[in-house]
Amino acid sequence: MASSMVRLFLLLLVLCPCAAIVSAGRYDPPGASCYKRLFSLGDSITDTGNLASVAPNSSVLAFPYGETFFHRPTGRFCDGRLIVDFIAEALKLPFVTPFLAGKTAADFRHGANFAVSGATALGQQFFRDMGLDLAILPPFSLDVQLGWFERVLHLLGPTEKERQDIMSSSLFLLGEVGINDYNHPFFQNRSFADEIRPLVPKVIEKIENATKVLIGLGAKNIVVPGAVPLGCVPRYLTLFQSDDPGDYDAAGCIRWLNEFVEEHNRALRRMLRRVLRGPGVAVVYADYYAAVQEITRDPRKHGFSKDAALTACCGDGGPHNSGVLISCNATSVLCPDPSEHISWDGLHLTEAAYRLVALGVLHGPYAAPSILSTCGC
Ligand SMILES: *[C@@H]1O[C@H](CO)[C@@H](O)[C@H](O)[C@H]1NC(C)=O
Ligand SMILES: *[C@@H]1O[C@H](CO)[C@@H](O)[C@H](O)[C@H]1NC(C)=O
Ligand SMILES: *[C@@H]1O[C@H](CO)[C@@H](O)[C@H](O)[C@H]1NC(C)=O
Ligand SMILES: *[C@@H]1O[C@H](CO)[C@@H](O)[C@H](O)[C@H]1NC(C)=O
């Protein structure tokens, strides 16, 4: 009996090299999610309604946001689902409740989403000290979101034992976060060399701290995404347009901006490699950068239109259809088919693009191990 159990266990180990199943010591039946919950932190790439619940006048709560999938605005800066939504679907979990839209333990039984549009890794005070205009820099940085998470954790698990069970049976999506630490000063004309580039180590330190806080609370599976190529973002293509062809790569993206994001992502990966891991802890880098770069370099292969690769679907006209910060609303220039575009509103991606990024981290190659290989087999 005992030895047949051991054989079964070894067989499972060979068939499914899955941390979740092995650490839980059981096999989840097909149809059930391997992770009981999904918790996510970050910014507008992941926000499914938090900013909207504190800023009901935000453009994100008006047409055409949400037109493709939900057929109404939901607070997502997208025409449809975000990466976190596709991850929830693949894990057979419902769309995760935005923290500011939920109240009870029942609201959060499948997890919670703490990401807020505009949020930074560094605290708001840091940017106040820099002298930035804080009008669109919300006071919901990574530390604030972690505080919210601890409240939900205690709501769901009154005892230490319950909290440990919750931590070890949940998937954490920590980010993307950090890009707004650069966006806000860029959009307020701060100096790249003197003020923006020197932020990288500080931003990475904050993400490192958050990773360690989650591990310290007992998290076993954390996915930490890198930033997307800013040099291919329509808003940046307009802001930093140049007459020098040498400033652009073959895909038409701004070289120096992409090199900057690569620098951030390299520092992030270095940090993740050395971050202290407890037994059975998997911290996985999700390469959103490579995923977006791949579809930008060869849009047609991935179902996008070649002419629309660097042009927002919804915006205020011009060569990239993106002039001002968020220029997408009911009176904007709106493309007939968002799925031909990578960029939705000049800053955020379309559902079609997010879907491809999500597939790449769920199944590989843009997360190693891929999210699904850490779970269902
Ligand atoms: C929202 O818009 C309404 C109508 O334009 C205005 O009266 C109200 O003050 C705005 N609220 C906020 C929080 O900006
Ligand atoms: C690390 O994160 C915790 C929880 O958010 C916070 O209280 C603490 O100040 C952070 N430490 C640093 C150095 O950022
Ligand atoms: C940044 O510079 C542009 C162009 O000079 C100007 O139009 C814009 O108002 C400036 N923005 C801020 C926040 O200073
Ligand atoms: C809507 O967007 C257009 C540009 O696409 C802009 O000119 C206009 O001011 C925006 N309207 C509102 C109410 O924000």
Side-chain angles (χ1 to χ4, degrees), residues 333-371:
V333 179
L334 181 63
C335 73
D337 183 0
S339 75
E340 293 192 338
H341 290 252
I342 296 170
S343 178
W344 164 244
D345 61 6
L347 271 186
H348 308 97
L349 307 192
T350 54
E351 172 180 281
Y354 281 142
R355 185 175 154 272
L356 288 179
V357 176
L359 289 175
V361 298
L362 283 162
H363 300 277
Y366 298 121
S370 69
I371 292 179

Short mmCIF file of all heavy atoms in Angstrom, two decimals, residues 333-371:
data_model
loop_
_atom_site.label_atom_id
_atom_site.label_comp_id
_atom_site.label_asym_id
_atom_site.label_seq_id
_atom_site.Cartn_x
_atom_site.Cartn_y
_atom_site.Cartn_z
N VAL A 333 -11.32 59.35 -32.81
CA VAL A 333 -11.19 58.55 -34.02
C VAL A 333 -11.12 57.10 -33.59
O VAL A 333 -10.19 56.69 -32.89
CB VAL A 333 -9.90 58.93 -34.78
CG1 VAL A 333 -9.75 58.08 -36.03
CG2 VAL A 333 -9.87 60.42 -35.09
N LEU A 334 -12.11 56.31 -33.98
CA LEU A 334 -12.20 54.92 -33.53
C LEU A 334 -12.06 53.98 -34.71
O LEU A 334 -12.75 54.13 -35.72
CB LEU A 334 -13.55 54.70 -32.83
CG LEU A 334 -13.82 53.31 -32.24
CD1 LEU A 334 -12.81 52.99 -31.14
CD2 LEU A 334 -15.24 53.23 -31.69
N CYS A 335 -11.15 53.00 -34.61
CA CYS A 335 -10.94 52.07 -35.72
C CYS A 335 -12.12 51.10 -35.79
O CYS A 335 -12.78 50.83 -34.80
CB CYS A 335 -9.64 51.30 -35.51
SG CYS A 335 -9.71 50.05 -34.21
N PRO A 336 -12.38 50.56 -37.00
CA PRO A 336 -13.52 49.65 -37.13
C PRO A 336 -13.28 48.30 -36.45
O PRO A 336 -14.22 47.68 -35.98
CB PRO A 336 -13.69 49.49 -38.64
CG PRO A 336 -12.42 49.97 -39.26
CD PRO A 336 -11.76 50.91 -38.29
N ASP A 337 -12.00 47.86 -36.41
CA ASP A 337 -11.74 46.52 -35.89
C ASP A 337 -10.55 46.53 -34.93
O ASP A 337 -9.41 46.44 -35.35
CB ASP A 337 -11.46 45.56 -37.06
CG ASP A 337 -11.25 44.14 -36.60
OD1 ASP A 337 -11.31 43.88 -35.37
OD2 ASP A 337 -11.02 43.27 -37.46
N PRO A 338 -10.81 46.64 -33.62
CA PRO A 338 -9.71 46.72 -32.64
C PRO A 338 -8.74 45.55 -32.74
O PRO A 338 -7.55 45.69 -32.41
CB PRO A 338 -10.42 46.70 -31.28
CG PRO A 338 -11.82 47.13 -31.56
CD PRO A 338 -12.13 46.71 -32.96
N SER A 339 -9.21 44.38 -33.19
CA SER A 339 -8.32 43.22 -33.19
C SER A 339 -7.22 43.34 -34.24
O SER A 339 -6.30 42.52 -34.28
CB SER A 339 -9.12 41.94 -33.41
OG SER A 339 -9.50 41.83 -34.76
N GLU A 340 -7.30 44.37 -35.12
CA GLU A 340 -6.20 44.60 -36.07
C GLU A 340 -5.08 45.44 -35.44
O GLU A 340 -4.01 45.60 -36.01
CB GLU A 340 -6.73 45.33 -37.31
CG GLU A 340 -7.67 44.49 -38.12
CD GLU A 340 -7.95 45.11 -39.49
OE1 GLU A 340 -7.75 46.34 -39.62
OE2 GLU A 340 -8.34 44.37 -40.39
N HIS A 341 -5.37 46.02 -34.29
CA HIS A 341 -4.42 46.92 -33.62
C HIS A 341 -3.78 46.26 -32.41
O HIS A 341 -4.42 45.46 -31.73
CB HIS A 341 -5.13 48.20 -33.15
CG HIS A 341 -5.56 49.08 -34.28
ND1 HIS A 341 -4.94 50.28 -34.56
CD2 HIS A 341 -6.53 48.93 -35.21
CE1 HIS A 341 -5.52 50.83 -35.61
NE2 HIS A 341 -6.50 50.04 -36.02
N ILE A 342 -2.54 46.65 -32.13
CA ILE A 342 -1.89 46.21 -30.90
C ILE A 342 -2.25 47.20 -29.79
O ILE A 342 -2.52 46.81 -28.66
CB ILE A 342 -0.37 46.12 -31.10
CG1 ILE A 342 -0.06 45.03 -32.14
CG2 ILE A 342 0.36 45.84 -29.78
CD1 ILE A 342 1.38 45.00 -32.61
N SER A 343 -2.25 48.50 -30.12
CA SER A 343 -2.57 49.52 -29.12
C SER A 343 -4.05 49.88 -29.18
O SER A 343 -4.60 50.12 -30.25
CB SER A 343 -1.73 50.77 -29.36
OG SER A 343 -2.07 51.76 -28.41
N TRP A 344 -4.65 49.93 -28.01
CA TRP A 344 -6.07 50.29 -27.94
C TRP A 344 -6.24 51.80 -27.92
O TRP A 344 -6.82 52.40 -28.80
CB TRP A 344 -6.70 49.64 -26.72
CG TRP A 344 -8.03 50.20 -26.31
CD1 TRP A 344 -8.32 50.85 -25.14
CD2 TRP A 344 -9.24 50.21 -27.07
NE1 TRP A 344 -9.62 51.25 -25.13
CE2 TRP A 344 -10.22 50.88 -26.30
CE3 TRP A 344 -9.60 49.73 -28.34
CZ2 TRP A 344 -11.53 51.07 -26.74
CZ3 TRP A 344 -10.91 49.92 -28.78
CH2 TRP A 344 -11.85 50.58 -27.99
N ASP A 345 -5.67 52.46 -26.89
CA ASP A 345 -5.94 53.89 -26.70
C ASP A 345 -4.67 54.73 -26.70
O ASP A 345 -4.66 55.85 -26.20
CB ASP A 345 -6.73 54.12 -25.39
CG ASP A 345 -5.96 53.65 -24.16
OD1 ASP A 345 -4.79 53.26 -24.30
OD2 ASP A 345 -6.51 53.70 -23.05
N GLY A 346 -3.59 54.18 -27.26
CA GLY A 346 -2.35 54.93 -27.34
C GLY A 346 -1.40 54.62 -26.19
O GLY A 346 -0.20 54.85 -26.30
N LEU A 347 -1.93 54.11 -25.07
CA LEU A 347 -1.08 53.73 -23.94
C LEU A 347 -1.26 52.26 -23.57
O LEU A 347 -0.34 51.62 -23.08
CB LEU A 347 -1.44 54.57 -22.70
CG LEU A 347 -0.74 55.89 -22.50
CD1 LEU A 347 -1.14 56.48 -21.15
CD2 LEU A 347 0.78 55.73 -22.55
N HIS A 348 -2.47 51.75 -23.77
CA HIS A 348 -2.79 50.38 -23.37
C HIS A 348 -3.07 49.52 -24.60
O HIS A 348 -3.41 50.04 -25.65
CB HIS A 348 -4.01 50.38 -22.44
CG HIS A 348 -3.87 51.33 -21.29
ND1 HIS A 348 -4.41 52.60 -21.31
CD2 HIS A 348 -3.23 51.21 -20.12
CE1 HIS A 348 -4.10 53.22 -20.17
NE2 HIS A 348 -3.38 52.40 -19.44
N LEU A 349 -2.93 48.20 -24.42
CA LEU A 349 -3.09 47.30 -25.56
C LEU A 349 -4.55 46.88 -25.75
O LEU A 349 -5.38 47.03 -24.84
CB LEU A 349 -2.22 46.05 -25.35
CG LEU A 349 -0.74 46.29 -25.07
CD1 LEU A 349 0.04 44.98 -25.18
CD2 LEU A 349 -0.13 47.33 -25.99
N THR A 350 -4.81 46.35 -26.94
CA THR A 350 -6.15 45.80 -27.22
C THR A 350 -6.28 44.43 -26.56
O THR A 350 -5.30 43.78 -26.21
CB THR A 350 -6.34 45.60 -28.74
OG1 THR A 350 -5.25 44.80 -29.24
CG2 THR A 350 -6.38 46.92 -29.48
N GLU A 351 -7.53 44.00 -26.46
CA GLU A 351 -7.77 42.64 -25.96
C GLU A 351 -7.02 41.62 -26.81
O GLU A 351 -6.45 40.66 -26.28
CB GLU A 351 -9.27 42.31 -25.96
CG GLU A 351 -9.51 40.86 -25.63
CD GLU A 351 -10.97 40.44 -25.60
OE1 GLU A 351 -11.63 40.72 -24.60
OE2 GLU A 351 -11.42 39.80 -26.57
N ALA A 352 -7.01 41.81 -28.12
CA ALA A 352 -6.33 40.85 -29.01
C ALA A 352 -4.86 40.72 -28.65
O ALA A 352 -4.29 39.62 -28.64
CB ALA A 352 -6.50 41.29 -30.46
N ALA A 353 -4.21 41.85 -28.34
CA ALA A 353 -2.79 41.81 -27.99
C ALA A 353 -2.59 41.20 -26.60
O ALA A 353 -1.70 40.37 -26.38
CB ALA A 353 -2.20 43.22 -28.06
N TYR A 354 -3.43 41.63 -25.65
CA TYR A 354 -3.31 41.06 -24.30
C TYR A 354 -3.52 39.54 -24.32
O TYR A 354 -2.88 38.80 -23.58
CB TYR A 354 -4.35 41.69 -23.35
CG TYR A 354 -3.98 43.06 -22.84
CD1 TYR A 354 -4.95 44.05 -22.67
CD2 TYR A 354 -2.66 43.37 -22.45
CE1 TYR A 354 -4.63 45.31 -22.18
CE2 TYR A 354 -2.34 44.62 -21.95
CZ TYR A 354 -3.32 45.60 -21.81
OH TYR A 354 -3.00 46.83 -21.31
N ARG A 355 -4.42 39.08 -25.21
CA ARG A 355 -4.69 37.65 -25.28
C ARG A 355 -3.42 36.89 -25.70
O ARG A 355 -3.09 35.86 -25.12
CB ARG A 355 -5.81 37.40 -26.30
CG ARG A 355 -6.24 35.96 -26.36
CD ARG A 355 -7.44 35.76 -27.29
NE ARG A 355 -7.38 34.38 -27.76
CZ ARG A 355 -6.70 33.99 -28.83
NH1 ARG A 355 -6.07 34.87 -29.58
NH2 ARG A 355 -6.66 32.73 -29.16
N LEU A 356 -2.71 37.43 -26.68
CA LEU A 356 -1.50 36.75 -27.14
C LEU A 356 -0.42 36.75 -26.06
O LEU A 356 0.29 35.77 -25.87
CB LEU A 356 -0.98 37.38 -28.42
CG LEU A 356 -1.84 37.09 -29.66
CD1 LEU A 356 -1.25 37.78 -30.87
CD2 LEU A 356 -1.95 35.58 -29.90
N VAL A 357 -0.30 37.87 -25.33
CA VAL A 357 0.68 37.92 -24.23
C VAL A 357 0.29 36.87 -23.18
O VAL A 357 1.14 36.10 -22.69
CB VAL A 357 0.73 39.32 -23.60
CG1 VAL A 357 1.68 39.33 -22.41
CG2 VAL A 357 1.16 40.37 -24.63
N ALA A 358 -1.00 36.82 -22.85
CA ALA A 358 -1.46 35.88 -21.82
C ALA A 358 -1.19 34.43 -22.24
O ALA A 358 -0.70 33.63 -21.44
CB ALA A 358 -2.95 36.08 -21.56
N LEU A 359 -1.47 34.11 -23.51
CA LEU A 359 -1.21 32.74 -23.98
C LEU A 359 0.26 32.40 -23.83
O LEU A 359 0.61 31.29 -23.44
CB LEU A 359 -1.64 32.58 -25.45
CG LEU A 359 -3.15 32.59 -25.70
CD1 LEU A 359 -3.45 32.54 -27.20
CD2 LEU A 359 -3.82 31.41 -24.99
N GLY A 360 1.12 33.38 -24.11
CA GLY A 360 2.56 33.15 -24.03
C GLY A 360 3.07 32.91 -22.61
O GLY A 360 4.08 32.25 -22.43
N VAL A 361 2.39 33.47 -21.62
CA VAL A 361 2.83 33.20 -20.25
C VAL A 361 2.09 31.99 -19.67
O VAL A 361 2.61 31.30 -18.81
CB VAL A 361 2.70 34.43 -19.31
CG1 VAL A 361 3.58 35.56 -19.80
CG2 VAL A 361 1.28 34.89 -19.15
N LEU A 362 0.90 31.71 -20.17
CA LEU A 362 0.16 30.54 -19.69
C LEU A 362 0.79 29.25 -20.22
O LEU A 362 0.92 28.27 -19.49
CB LEU A 362 -1.31 30.61 -20.13
CG LEU A 362 -2.18 31.57 -19.32
CD1 LEU A 362 -3.46 31.91 -20.08
CD2 LEU A 362 -2.52 30.94 -17.97
N HIS A 363 1.16 29.25 -21.51
CA HIS A 363 1.63 28.03 -22.15
C HIS A 363 3.11 28.08 -22.49
O HIS A 363 3.67 27.10 -22.94
CB HIS A 363 0.85 27.79 -23.46
CG HIS A 363 -0.63 27.65 -23.27
ND1 HIS A 363 -1.23 26.47 -22.91
CD2 HIS A 363 -1.63 28.55 -23.36
CE1 HIS A 363 -2.53 26.64 -22.80
NE2 HIS A 363 -2.81 27.90 -23.07
N GLY A 364 3.77 29.19 -22.32
CA GLY A 364 5.12 29.40 -22.80
C GLY A 364 5.06 29.98 -24.19
O GLY A 364 3.99 29.97 -24.80
N PRO A 365 6.12 30.56 -24.72
CA PRO A 365 7.48 30.57 -24.15
C PRO A 365 7.77 31.78 -23.25
O PRO A 365 8.91 31.94 -22.86
CB PRO A 365 8.35 30.65 -25.41
CG PRO A 365 7.54 31.51 -26.34
CD PRO A 365 6.08 31.19 -26.04
N TYR A 366 6.78 32.62 -22.94
CA TYR A 366 7.12 33.89 -22.28
C TYR A 366 7.08 33.82 -20.75
O TYR A 366 7.15 34.85 -20.09
CB TYR A 366 6.24 35.01 -22.83
CG TYR A 366 6.49 35.22 -24.31
CD1 TYR A 366 5.48 35.09 -25.25
CD2 TYR A 366 7.79 35.47 -24.77
CE1 TYR A 366 5.73 35.24 -26.61
CE2 TYR A 366 8.05 35.62 -26.12
CZ TYR A 366 7.02 35.50 -27.03
OH TYR A 366 7.27 35.64 -28.37
N ALA A 367 6.98 32.62 -20.19
CA ALA A 367 7.25 32.39 -18.77
C ALA A 367 7.84 31.00 -18.69
O ALA A 367 7.37 30.08 -19.36
CB ALA A 367 5.98 32.48 -17.94
N ALA A 368 8.89 30.83 -17.90
CA ALA A 368 9.54 29.53 -17.78
C ALA A 368 9.79 29.24 -16.30
O ALA A 368 10.63 29.91 -15.71
CB ALA A 368 10.85 29.50 -18.57
N PRO A 369 9.09 28.28 -15.67
CA PRO A 369 8.05 27.47 -16.29
C PRO A 369 6.80 28.29 -16.59
O PRO A 369 6.53 29.29 -15.93
CB PRO A 369 7.74 26.41 -15.21
CG PRO A 369 8.10 27.07 -13.92
CD PRO A 369 9.26 27.98 -14.23
N SER A 370 6.03 27.84 -17.60
CA SER A 370 4.79 28.53 -17.94
C SER A 370 3.79 28.36 -16.79
O SER A 370 3.90 27.42 -16.00
CB SER A 370 4.21 27.96 -19.23
OG SER A 370 3.75 26.64 -19.00
N ILE A 371 2.83 29.28 -16.70
CA ILE A 371 1.89 29.25 -15.56
C ILE A 371 1.14 27.91 -15.52
O ILE A 371 1.03 27.29 -14.47
CB ILE A 371 0.90 30.42 -15.65
CG1 ILE A 371 1.65 31.75 -15.43
CG2 ILE A 371 -0.21 30.27 -14.62
CD1 ILE A 371 0.77 32.99 -15.51
#
